Amino acid sequence: MGHKQRVVKNSVWYIAVISMAAGMAGLLYGYDTAVISGAIGFLQELYGLSPFMEGFVISSIMIGGIIGVGISGYLGDIFGRRKILMAAAVIFSISSILSALVNSVEMLIAARIFGGLGIGLASSLAVTYITECAPPAIRGRLSSMYQLFTVLGISSTYFVNLAVANAGTHSWGIETGWRWMLGYGMIPSLLFFITLLFVPESPRFLIKKGKDQEALSILRRINDKQTADLEMKAIKLSITTETNSSMLRLFQPGLRKALGVGIFLALFNQVIGMNAITYYGPEIFKSVGFKNNTEFVATSLVGVVQLISTIAAVFLIDRAGRKRLMAIGSSLMAFFMLLIGGVFFFNITGPWLIIFIIGFTAAFCISMGPIPWIMIPEIFPNHLRARAVGLTTMFLWGANWAIGQFTPMLLSGLGGAYTFWTFAVINVICFIFVMTIVPETKNKSLEEIEQFWTPNKKDTRKLSV
């Protein structure tokens, strides 16, 4: 154990830089998630959007996201994780510019679908890349960089929205302000692209391509020489002993369970209600009496709590464990969703809504926010990881689309109380699934986790469930 701590200490700065560079993919997802919440009110007034079209403007980016994650694994296995991440940054930058220049809602939807392609490519490959580089003892902490940068993008963008909204009159916001909100998206995409110029390719990808010496050099910078040599052997053994890399392997005994766990984590990362608050926060606060841009101030406060809670999660994940945090978080989220629904049912004043949403947000950010992004790439074997993560993340983006599309229709049809009580029930279901089917992967190497799913090899490497 002392040796492992020394290895981490010697390599922590190098691997931290790699993880933060890849994690900046979260800035793209975070920026778009938050910026559209500020723009949608202006767009609704400009184009007279129905609840369905309001949802479609927001959810359209997820259509591109589903396509992006669907092809990310194949492209990542052919061209490498790093090159595809760089391509994703370019795509999102172009989309941001187009979104700011459109003159119809149809053109805006098309630009957002194109931007979703870039975010989808980046979302699955970023966590795959970090997982393949990180040492087991701090893999959870480093893999949470994606979620940390997502939340950083969300919270900072709330303040961008607030600044733009206050930069002119309401009429200016309807005609021009929202264009600046969307156009600023090119800034995080350029930052992401530039940082990727200074990081290496995934060592596991390099070994798959026969570039052993280049991979070994990277592994020795991540670990000490002895650990790197041992990991090199384990990776080569994992790759060479598995000749069947067909996606059909995921539906065979053993990996079939891994696929089920991955799909569960992907779905519940989205359907428990956080994105409903993120996408429609200002509109939700407006509905309980916030006005004169105070709805943007309230949403910005939620963003600050998101950032603080996610930073706390970075330090908790490898200590408390994935399973325990998800169980605690889902139970707290169910509780706060009940209270949020009560605000609407009993017509309670606005400040209580802020308090309850902050409680829900904090619980999400230490549990079902970052942990699915960490565990999904952990649970799949080397030869299938990129494509399996892409497939699983398609479910995540599909659920994301559904939340973006149908939340305004639910709020309009069911009302706030029953909408949020529905999310409370979903969180209870999440708690049950976490306790019954999700394993603990803390402190396990990727090769150890791979052995767990292999039939008839449930030995001392078995994960606790």
Side-chain angles (χ1 to χ4, degrees):
M1 189 68 173
H3 176 68
K4 181 180 290 186
Q5 290 173 342
R6 180 174 60 83
V7 170
V8 170
K9 182 179 179 181
N10 290 342
S11 63
V12 67
W13 289 111
Y14 179 67
I15 187 59
V17 169
I18 291 175
S19 300
M20 285 190 288
M24 286 184 72
L27 284 177
L28 311 187
Y29 182 43
Y31 188 91
D32 183 81
T33 297
V35 75
I36 196 62
S37 71
I40 193 64
F42 296 127
L43 291 166
Q44 198 280 331
E45 292 188 56
L46 178 63
Y47 294 115
L49 303 176
S50 66
F52 174 83
M53 283 303 297
E54 185 179 352
F56 192 46
V57 168
I58 287 183
S59 67
S60 56
I61 201 163
M62 276 67 99
I63 297 173
I66 293 171
I67 298 170
V69 297
I71 63 176
S72 63
Y74 292 96
L75 294 178
D77 282 341
I78 295 171
F79 299 106
R81 285 59 162 139
R82 179 172 167 268
K83 289 180 181 178
I84 300 303
L85 288 173
M86 295 175 77
V90 173
I91 291 171
F92 187 77
S93 182
I94 295 172
S95 168
S96 298
I97 296 171
L98 293 176
S99 297
L101 298 176
V102 298
N103 53 23
S104 71
V105 69
E106 292 80 13
M107 291 177 65
L108 176 60
I109 289 171
R112 286 180 58 74
I113 291 174
F114 183 64
L117 178 65
I119 298 177
L121 287 170
S123 64
S124 63
L125 281 183
V127 291
T128 298
Y129 174 84
I130 297 171
T131 298
E132 292 182 340
C133 292
I138 56 171
R139 188 174 59 241
R141 198 176 308 168
L142 295 175
S143 297
S144 64
M145 288 296 105
Y146 178 83
Q147 181 68 14
L148 178 60
F149 276 101
T150 297
V151 172
L152 180 62
I154 290 172
S155 57
S156 60
T157 305
Y158 285 148
F159 288 98
V160 172
N161 289 344
L162 177 61
V164 173
N166 287 331
T169 64
H170 188 71
S171 297
W172 175 84
I174 294 173
E175 292 296 329
T176 306
W178 63 269
R179 298 181 185 276
W180 285 101
M181 291 180 180
L182 299 179
Y184 282 137
M186 68 178 296
I187 296 176
S189 59
L190 289 176
L191 289 174
F192 180 42
F193 182 88
I194 292 170
T195 57
L196 288 170
L197 294 173
F198 301 97
V199 299
E201 182 53 83
S202 158
R204 284 172 170 81
F205 171 78
L206 292 172
I207 293 170
K208 285 177 65 176
K209 295 299 181 181
K211 300 179 179 180
D212 291 7
Q213 285 304 312
E214 188 177 346
L216 183 59
S217 175
I218 296 169
L219 288 171
R220 285 180 177 176
R221 291 199 66 183
I222 294 172
N223 306 280
D224 67 353
K225 182 179 183 300
Q226 180 182 357
T227 305
D229 292 346
L230 290 173
E231 188 165 359
M232 181 81 174
K233 292 178 181 178
I235 296 170
K236 287 181 69 67
L237 180 64
S238 170
I239 293 172
T240 56
T241 56
E242 182 54 72
T243 56
N244 180 9
S245 60
S246 167
M247 288 290 285
L248 294 177
R249 284 274 290 114
L250 291 172
F251 299 94
Q252 295 177 2
L255 289 182
R256 185 166 54 206
K257 183 176 180 181
L259 180 62
V261 171
I263 291 173
F264 157 76
L265 292 171
L267 289 174
F268 280 86
N269 173 261
Q270 296 295 316
V271 300
I272 53 182
M274 187 66 230
N275 275 356
I277 294 171
T278 303
Y279 289 139
Y280 299 100
E283 301 304 303
I284 291 171
F285 286 120
K286 271 187 188 178
S287 68
V288 294
F290 288 80
K291 56 185 178 181
N292 298 324
N293 289 342
T294 57
E295 67 272 21
F296 290 105
V297 176
T299 308
S300 299
L301 180 60
V302 174
V304 172
V305 173
Q306 279 184 283
L307 182 59
I308 294 172
S309 302
T310 304
I311 292 172
V314 170
F315 296 97
L316 287 173
I317 286 169
D318 284 320
R319 297 180 182 179
R322 285 74 154 146
K323 186 183 181 80
R324 180 184 299 177
L325 286 177
M326 286 192 291
I328 293 171
S330 56
S331 58
L332 286 174
M333 286 187 288
F335 173 71
F336 281 112
M337 275 297 182
L338 284 173
L339 296 178
I340 293 169
V343 168
F344 288 91
F345 190 80
F346 295 106
N347 295 315
I348 301 173
T349 57
W352 283 106
L353 180 62
I354 296 179
I355 293 171
F356 297 152
I357 286 181
I358 283 175
F360 173 85
T361 299
F364 173 82
C365 289
I366 64 167
S367 60
M368 294 305 296
I371 295 177
W373 290 107
I374 295 167
M375 287 193 68
I376 288 172
E378 282 184 331
I379 61 179
F380 295 111
N382 287 315
H383 62 288
L384 287 171
R385 181 173 296 112
R387 283 174 288 168
V389 171
L391 172 63
T392 306
T393 315
M394 287 181 70
F395 286 88
L396 185 150
W397 278 86
N400 194 350
W401 171 83
I403 293 297
Q405 177 65 58
F406 296 115
T407 294
M409 300 170 70
L410 288 171
L411 290 171
S412 176
L414 295 179
Y418 291 101
T419 297
F420 289 108
W421 285 343
T422 299
F423 286 127
V425 172
I426 293 173
N427 276 284
V428 171
I429 296 171
C430 178
F431 173 82
I432 294 170
F433 272 74
V434 166
M435 295 302 295
T436 55
I437 73 167
V438 177
E440 179 59 75
T441 58
K442 182 181 73 169
N443 289 334
K444 299 290 183 181
S445 75
L446 298 180
E447 286 66 41
E448 285 178 317
I449 297 170
E450 179 179 343
Q451 288 295 315
F452 172 69
W453 305 116
T454 305
N456 302 321
K457 290 189 178 181
K458 295 183 179 180
D459 53 10
T460 57
R461 294 177 170 184
K462 183 174 181 179
L463 308 180
S464 57
V465 177

